Amino acid sequence: MPALAATLTRSSLASLNSCFVRDGLVTDSRLNPAGIRQNRRPDGSQLSNKCSPVVVLAAGTAHRRRKWPEARPLVSGRVTRKALVLIKELKTKPPTNEDELHQRLENWVKGVRPHRRDLIDTIKEMDTADTRELLCQVMQWSLSEDWYEADARDYTKLVERFGKDGRLGEMERAFAGMEADGIAPDLISFSVKINAYGRAKEVEKAEAAWEEMRLRGITPDAKAYTTMMTVYGKAGQPDKAEQLLDAMLAAACKPSLVTLCSIITAYGLAGRPDDAQRVSDKVLSQTDLTPDCNTFTALSAAFGLNGRTDEAVAAFKRMVAAGLKPDDRSVARLVEAHGSMDRQLALLLGEGGEGGEGGREDEEGGGKESEREGGRGEGSEEEQLTGSATSEEGRVKGREASEEEKLRCRQAVKLVLELEGAGIRPGVETYTSLISLFASHGLVREAAEVFEEMQRVGLQPNARTYTRLFQAYALAGDMDSCSQVRKTMQVLGWTLNPPIVRGMVRALVAGGQGGAAAELVREAEEEEGMRVDGDVKEMAGRYAEELVH
């Protein structure tokens, strides 16, 4: 019987709609050994299930590209000349051990007699994925230098860096060292510490830090309240987050729209979108806040994540009716709403990882210590999706899309086309969400062609896009294509980081590739020197053991 062929042609995004009813194409429901649908034409010839030609080309020429690597600037911004001397030495010839690093730093001090500004510029430029461990060592060394005159901000930046890397023990020691050196932690210091505990889902420790801050007479501001609410949201405790919101309002502390988004997201992740709408109405009625694009997007995502597509679309329409122009991320969340029938799998693929807004800290590295609320309300949503799904419920190797799922894909494509006709062109986030949508329903070939079309129209995929493409192949058990995507990412300079590893491991496990997941964790730890989160290691190890037995 005729079936779905959600395939992008090379002509235009507008072909997304017509591709579902392409004349003369039928889909064979049988699976090949890799677990992917075999697409056949009426004459019996088979359509290719292999990786996108763009990915194959990039992977196939990877060895040649490495001979002529693209030149990267030594620094990304303006730095002092004295800072440039140290940056050049550390980046071109990294020290092999801590003693060598300290000797180089001391020689630098003796040779150029730097000022505080010089080291600050150096620290900023060292905050990249490949020099992060070196950065922490430089920061620790700077705190003991009298000429540097370290203050609370310097200690707080080190606390934040350890917290983002999940190194809670070192984070706690850095925080204690601040007090031992006679520097009293302030509101920002405690907020960063609380946020670090929230990332690690250590709710009790976050609550203890909050209480300690209050006992010291430090009055929390809107950002501090938002940070603690985000902790509760990540831990699946939205009621506690709302209690904190009530206390905030009672203390005459005006919440921000980021605060509101964090509460909406918390209820959405807990499967309670109606409460998300209720809290939104309550806050807006008690304050003079005017909802922005991010607020409506958070509401749309809360309903969409729980399979209530109509309410998600209604929230999107209210945004437009309010005179707000939806951005790429708003459209992307609406696309994802059409694929959330399997909530556990939607959460699985919603890894934040990883990032995607062109420089999202979890994907590309970076971030500012002053952003104490744990990320923008809309940015933290994807980060909170981390760890929300049980991989066992999400196993989808070789699954076929149902007719209802195919209908949802058609509706999502139609929506993108209508918005494009209205002048809202899809961007990287929207294309990435389409890849996730097709992947979550077992339409791996269509996901690959979305990726190809994205490049054809001139959009540059980011690390999150490549991670989603990897997930599409991993869910289908196509390890050859997964390997090709990995090679392409390496050619483009995207090294493994915790969010990317988490997303890849979860998809591999869901696709029944526990052994490959365990090998990826080993590679990340031994070859990349990465600290992989404990729950990810446990997940990969557990399914690897199942395969052995």
Side-chain angles (χ1 to χ4, degrees):
M1 64 176 181
L4 174 68
T7 305
L8 291 172
T9 67
R10 304 175 190 274
S11 57
S12 155
L13 181 64
S15 63
L16 275 166
N17 192 35
S18 61
C19 68
F20 284 99
V21 290
R22 180 183 297 166
D23 293 335
L25 177 64
V26 296
T27 302
D28 191 342
S29 62
R30 292 171 296 176
L31 302 178
N32 60 23
I36 304 178
R37 293 180 297 103
Q38 298 184 19
N39 296 312
R40 299 181 181 276
R41 297 186 179 90
D43 61 3
S45 60
Q46 183 172 335
L47 292 172
S48 173
N49 284 315
K50 294 185 178 298
C51 183
S52 164
V54 177
V55 177
V56 174
L57 175 62
T61 61
H63 65 286
R64 281 180 282 172
R65 293 190 182 191
R66 289 195 184 99
K67 294 181 181 178
W68 300 280
E70 182 180 354
R72 293 185 181 181
L74 187 62
V75 296
S76 59
R78 298 184 63 179
V79 300
T80 65
R81 291 184 179 181
K82 294 179 180 180
L84 186 60
V85 171
L86 181 59
I87 294 170
K88 182 177 181 180
E89 181 175 353
L90 294 180
K91 285 192 174 183
T92 56
K93 189 178 179 182
T96 57
N97 54 63
E98 190 171 347
D99 291 337
E100 181 183 348
L101 171 63
H102 287 178
Q103 185 61 49
R104 289 195 193 182
L105 291 171
E106 291 171 4
N107 292 340
W108 175 66
V109 173
K110 294 176 181 178
V112 303
R113 305 179 75 84
H115 300 288
R116 176 177 167 81
R117 178 66 190 177
D118 302 318
L119 191 52
I120 290 177
D121 284 352
T122 301
I123 290 173
K124 287 181 179 179
E125 289 296 330
M126 297 294 290
D127 194 6
T128 59
D130 55 344
T131 59
R132 195 150 287 160
E133 180 61 34
L134 191 59
L135 166 70
C136 293
Q137 295 177 5
V138 172
M139 293 174 71
Q140 288 176 297
W141 171 83
S142 68
L143 298 178
S144 61
E145 294 295 303
D146 294 335
W147 64 270
Y148 183 63
E149 298 178 349
D151 57 19
R153 295 284 69 74
D154 298 302
Y155 280 94
T156 301
K157 288 176 183 176
L158 182 60
V159 168
E160 181 192 37
R161 186 67 268 158
F162 282 138
K164 285 183 176 180
D165 292 342
R167 300 157 65 174
L168 295 188
E170 292 167 281
M171 183 270 291
E172 291 168 345
R173 285 193 291 273
F175 194 89
M178 173 167 44
E179 296 185 278
D181 290 341
I183 300 176
D186 57 11
L187 177 60
I188 296 178
S189 304
F190 274 104
S191 295
V192 168
K193 184 179 183 181
I194 291 170
N195 188 40
Y197 284 133
R199 284 173 175 267
K201 296 181 174 59
E202 295 282 357
V203 182
E204 293 182 358
K205 290 185 176 181
E207 290 176 328
W210 177 267
E211 290 302 321
E212 180 184 356
M213 179 183 71
R214 300 298 299 269
L215 290 174
R216 294 193 182 200
I218 300 175
T219 302
D221 61 3
K223 289 184 177 181
Y225 275 110
T226 303
T227 299
M228 193 63 210
M229 291 178 198
T230 303
V231 171
Y232 285 130
K234 291 178 181 179
Q237 302 177 18
D239 292 315
K240 286 190 174 182
E242 186 175 356
Q243 291 173 9
L244 203 58
L245 173 65
D246 293 336
M248 180 181 183
L249 294 171
C253 180
K254 180 182 176 181
S256 65
L257 289 175
V258 175
T259 308
L260 178 57
C261 286
S262 68
I263 296 287
I264 292 172
T265 299
Y267 275 118
L269 291 170
R272 299 163 59 182
D274 289 326
D275 285 323
Q277 183 67 65
R278 174 184 59 78
V279 171
S280 176
D281 295 338
K282 178 176 73 172
V283 172
L284 295 177
S285 65
Q286 296 183 20
T287 65
D288 58 355
L289 293 175
T290 301
D292 61 1
C293 184
N294 296 329
T295 309
F296 286 110
T297 299
L299 280 170
S300 178
F303 283 110
L305 182 62
N306 292 281
R308 297 171 60 173
T309 308
D310 292 339
E311 288 96 329
V313 174
F316 186 89
K317 290 181 177 179
R318 291 200 302 273
M319 179 199 317
V320 177
L324 299 171
K325 183 176 181 179
D327 58 15
D328 184 30
R329 191 176 180 281
S330 303
V331 179
R333 297 295 83 79
L334 199 57
V335 167
E336 292 169 0
H338 288 81
S340 58
M341 282 184 57
D342 186 344
R343 184 172 183 273
Q344 293 293 340
L345 187 56
L347 285 166
L348 176 72
L349 291 178
E351 173 69 43
E354 346 76 287
E357 287 189 287
R360 189 172 293 170
E361 182 266 328
D362 280 339
E363 295 245 19
E364 311 292 349
K368 297 181 180 179
E369 165 267 326
S370 59
E371 295 173 356
R372 297 176 283 120
E373 62 272 22
R376 291 165 32 195
E378 75 279 11
S380 59
E381 170 195 338
E382 288 191 348
E383 181 185 343
Q384 292 179 52
L385 292 175
T386 297
S388 301
T390 54
S391 55
E392 197 152 9
E393 295 178 359
R395 292 197 178 199
V396 293
K397 181 178 180 181
R399 73 186 294 274
E400 283 292 322
S402 67
E403 291 303 318
E404 187 172 0
E405 289 173 329
K406 295 174 183 178
L407 175 62
R408 285 174 172 266
C409 289
R410 285 195 290 269
Q411 291 173 338
V413 170
K414 181 180 179 181
L415 169 69
V416 173
L417 293 172
E418 291 176 349
L419 292 175
E420 185 182 21
I424 304 174
R425 297 188 62 82
V428 174
E429 279 285 300
T430 300
Y431 275 98
T432 301
S433 293
L434 281 171
I435 292 173
S436 281
L437 175 63
F438 288 132
S440 65
H441 293 319
L443 302 171
V444 61
R445 180 171 176 269
E446 290 77 1
E449 293 187 347
V450 171
F451 177 85
E452 184 180 347
E453 173 69 10
M454 174 183 181
Q455 293 186 313
R456 194 200 66 79
V457 299
L459 293 175
Q460 182 62 45
N462 56 29
R464 182 170 177 262
T465 309
Y466 279 99
T467 302
R468 292 297 183 267
L469 185 62
F470 179 96
Q471 289 177 322
Y473 290 122
L475 289 170
D478 185 355
M479 298 310 299
D480 290 339
S481 295
C482 285
S483 177
Q484 291 171 337
V485 174
R486 281 288 315 280
K487 290 178 181 178
T488 304
M489 294 179 72
Q490 292 171 354
V491 169
L492 296 174
W494 279 315
T495 58
L496 294 175
N497 63 33
I500 290 178
V501 170
R502 179 181 289 271
M504 289 182 172
V505 165
R506 291 192 161 202
L508 287 169
V509 169
Q513 301 294 326
E519 175 61 23
L520 180 62
V521 170
R522 185 204 63 77
E523 178 185 342
E525 289 189 316
E526 296 182 7
E527 299 182 15
E528 302 287 343
M530 183 193 309
R531 295 172 181 265
V532 179
D533 293 341
D535 61 326
V536 177
K537 294 173 62 176
E538 180 182 359
M539 181 194 309
R542 182 170 67 250
Y543 287 102
E545 290 177 2
E546 287 182 6
L547 292 177
V548 172
H549 295 298

